[in-house]
Amino acid sequence: MSNYNIKHLEEYFKVYRKSVREPEVFWEEIAEEHFLWRKKWDNVLSWDFKKPEIKWYAGAKLNITENCIDRHLRTRGEKTAILFEPNNPNEKAEHITYNQLSKKVNQFANVLKDQGIKKGDRVCIYLPMIPELVISLLACARIGAIHSVVFAGFSSTALSTRINDSDCKIVITSDGSYRGRKTINLKEIVDEGLEVCKGVHTVLVVKRINSEIKMLKGRDKWLQPLLNNASDECEPEIMDSEDALFILYTSGSTGKPKGMVHTIAGYMVYTAYTFKNMFQYKEEDVYWCTADIGWITGHSYIVYGPLANGATTVMFEGIPSFPDYGRFWKIIEKHKINQFYTAPTAIRAFAKQNLKFVENYNLSSLKVIGSVGEPINEEAWHWYNDNIGKKKSPIIDTWWQTETGGIMISPIPYVTPTIPTYATLPFIGIQPALMDDEGNELIGNQVEGKLCVKFPWPSIARTIWGNHRRYKETYFSTFRNKYFTGDGALRDATGYYRITGRVDDVIIVSGHNLGTAPIEDAINEHPAVAESAIVGIPHDIKGNALYGYVILKEIGESRNHENLRKEINQIITEHIGPIAKLEKVQFLSGLPKTRSGKIMRRILRKIANNDVNNLGDTSTLLNPEIVKEIIQGVM
Ligand code: WT7
């Protein structure tokens, strides 16, 4: 018998040891006992981090929607699968049962087929947090199409880059979306983006805000009439374990976004197993993750992990501050949420508000509260623990990444004792390693270094879409034979891990990964700008904010700097989205560069963070005089 649900610390250690000593035996038992396979695998695992090539359950056949939907119908057909809470608190919540979900997914799958979508085709999904979003993911999976969800807060340029990179044939969107008091005309953004996407032949449009929109003849189709005419039965496509399930883009430190490719079987097994344990999910529980499905957290822990366990998963269309900062807590009371999973940036925003927003509501249903996306600072941890968990629901600080597919280092609630700001122990099957800069693994406890993983786990991304070489370079070339995460971490005297933050040029703003290079590229598009460099500075709520150093083409540019700042932020909004706007902009005559022409970001980072007395070695600078100018500008 496999240990599908770990209930105490000795059991964790026992199972962990087994998963490391005999990973194949371990993951074979989990897969065999808890999932539905059309054909079993020939080989549990084959891997080579040098190529890199990783295969789990090779030779197996399955469809993930049979695991997430069909197999529950006999025992849980009338159980709520998706509980939809609309933006407007006066609009009724919608309960979609597993029986209903099955029909809706099959209808949608048939519509996709009618539109010519086949196994292996890429489907771009650009939707707000409405049920059609979950349904469209599953409909793709039903017919073996590869979904590529683009967060509906991204700009038209960000959207078109992603559509073209993976050559999507179809886009699923809506007329618009609700965000608090605002409405956003999503379809307009799509129209703009598609001007440069020649491969898209069809746009399916969900009606959500009933706005007047333009429909391009031959290309754009309202979804509802097509669904009405579609059969609610659709045989699942039988897929190979290593076929792609989806592509999800994440920012790198340089270049265009990376389309991380996740494959079916390993992703399913790992997200399901982590979901069960991380949230200690019980059959009657109602689980809520506040992430957007446009991010990996939503893919793994709103959609696939919960549904593979037959859970009730809440999806919320709105924002934390509408109609006021009590909304989350009101939802918890209303739906008697048992497990709640959110981000530090949201927690910090709540902590700034009057406590009455929390105290007005009954949160006694909560059993587990989670955090994800960036390091949670001690203050925010305590606020969360005191006011939401009421010191009785354990906080799980879950460290993972788009690339890892599922939670990697985290306490298991009611199993692992927690310490503020510590992600604590690796999950079953995960073998972390801390490395020094010379490439040596740091053995033993009380060490700090770069965080790697030295053995594959089932849900590791298999490649970057269309660019396997970049996959190898980014993740497998820094340290020999190890997956490098891009994060730093320490291991304390008891073996607990604490993530210390990114060690590359990725800055996490409100939980969103932003690479410095694409933002700099956007700024440089401004006709008056010669060059720019972005660094992170601490921010009370967002965790980090962006500080931009901008060099103008003409020194003493006559235009008002205030206007230039606005124009620069406007360009960033168009290219990337409002999330990447600069908090502060400093205009300079030059950037500190080494003799080889590399920007010394360390100096820029320190000065922006007011740490000017300790700039380190500046002897390799080509233009040391610039340092004084930068400092004067900050003061
Ligand atoms: C990066 C990955 C995991 C889904 C959402 C983010 C940071 C994530 C934590 C945590 C400290 C964290 C890391 C990581 N991060 N969770 N609990 N403690 N840092 O996915 O957008 O791919 O970002 O987020 O720096 O590398 P992502």
Side-chain angles (χ1 to χ4, degrees), residues 296-297 372-375 397-402 487 502 508 513:
I296 191 70
T297 310
V372 60
E374 58 188 305
D397 177 1
T398 63
W399 174 83
W400 57 296
Q401 309 178 294
T402 305
D487 284 313
R502 300 292 306 185
I508 303 185
N513 263 10

Side-chain angles (χ1 to χ4, degrees), residues 296-575:
I296 191 70
T297 310
H299 281 59
S300 302
Y301 298 112
I302 296 179
V303 184
Y304 290 110
L307 296 180
N309 282 283
T312 297
T313 176
V314 173
M315 70 184 294
F316 174 44
E317 184 184 27
I319 54 174
S321 55
F322 175 75
D324 61 44
Y325 273 99
R327 185 67 191 277
F328 273 18
W329 323 124
K330 190 183 174 125
I331 294 174
I332 292 176
E333 176 183 281
K334 178 175 169 193
H335 298 301
K336 302 195 172 54
I337 305 284
N338 303 110
Q339 294 91 357
F340 175 68
Y341 193 24
T342 197
T345 185
I347 298 167
R348 288 190 295 263
F350 289 124
K352 290 237 175 274
Q353 313 303 319
N354 194 314
L355 256 190
K356 77 171 193 321
F357 286 121
V358 179
E359 287 161 354
N360 279 342
Y361 301 100
N362 179 354
L363 306 183
S364 62
S365 55
L366 287 176
K367 297 192 282 191
V368 176
I369 57 176
S371 168
V372 60
E374 58 188 305
I376 177 166
N377 51 306
E378 191 143 3
E379 228 184 311
W381 195 97
H382 283 296
W383 187 89
Y384 201 30
N385 190 40
D386 294 350
N387 299 298
I388 308 304
K390 317 275 186 202
K391 298 197 168 105
K392 79 172 183 37
S393 301
I395 296 179
I396 53 165
D397 177 1
T398 63
W399 174 83
W400 57 296
Q401 309 178 294
T402 305
E403 296 86 337
T404 69
I407 296 169
M408 301 287 282
I409 304 183
S410 170
I412 300 175
Y414 302 101
V415 172
T416 320
T418 59
I419 305 180
T421 77
Y422 278 77
T424 74
L425 296 171
F427 188 63
I428 307 301
I430 304 306
Q431 302 187 35
L434 297 179
M435 311 296 291
D436 70 15
D437 289 335
E438 278 72 58
N440 306 308
E441 181 172 351
L442 299 162
I443 306 294
N445 289 341
Q446 282 188 301
V447 289
E448 179 167 356
K450 291 182 173 157
L451 178 60
C452 289
V453 187
K454 55 187 175 186
F455 194 85
W457 61 99
S459 65
I460 182 174
R462 305 295 197 262
T463 189
I464 292 174
W465 184 265
N467 201 343
H468 197 66
R469 192 206 289 171
R470 186 173 180 201
Y471 174 70
K472 178 176 175 165
E473 273 165 15
T474 311
Y475 305 106
F476 298 93
S477 302
T478 319
F479 299 103
R480 248 190 75 225
N481 226 5
K482 293 189 177 58
Y483 166 82
F484 175 43
T485 64
D487 284 313
L490 63 81
R491 191 164 50 225
D492 76 359
T494 60
Y496 269 23
Y497 288 85
R498 176 176 200 236
I499 312 301
T500 51
R502 300 292 306 185
V503 294
D504 56 10
D505 287 330
V506 172
I507 304 170
I508 303 185
V509 178
S510 299
H512 302 309
N513 263 10
L514 298 173
T516 50
I519 303 173
E520 291 161 3
D521 291 346
I523 300 172
N524 299 349
E525 299 258 315
H526 190 290
V529 172
E531 215 184 349
S532 59
I534 305 290
V535 298
I537 50 171
H539 186 281
D540 275 5
I541 292 175
K542 300 177 189 170
N544 294 295
L546 300 180
Y547 189 111
Y549 294 97
V550 175
I551 319 302
L552 297 173
K553 282 183 183 152
E554 285 172 52
I555 306 184
E557 157 78 40
S558 55
R559 252 184 300 177
N560 169 329
H561 279 181
E562 213 26 63
N563 284 344
L564 273 173
R565 281 192 183 94
K566 281 196 193 126
E567 288 166 22
I568 286 171
N569 272 332
Q570 184 55 34
I571 293 194
I572 295 175
T573 305
E574 283 159 19
H575 279 72

Side-chain angles (χ1 to χ4, degrees), residues 20-55:
V20 170
R21 279 191 203 139
E22 303 176 287
E24 295 171 27
V25 175
F26 176 77
W27 289 112
E28 174 152 51
E29 285 174 6
I30 294 284
E32 200 141 38
E33 289 167 25
H34 302 281
F35 300 90
L36 192 67
W37 304 89
R38 288 295 185 111
K39 175 182 170 286
K40 294 272 165 70
W41 43 91
D42 305 320
N43 195 6
V44 179
L45 168 67
S46 64
W47 65 291
D48 177 354
F49 275 176
K50 287 187 206 85
K51 273 186 181 172
E53 185 180 82
I54 303 140
K55 287 186 178 161

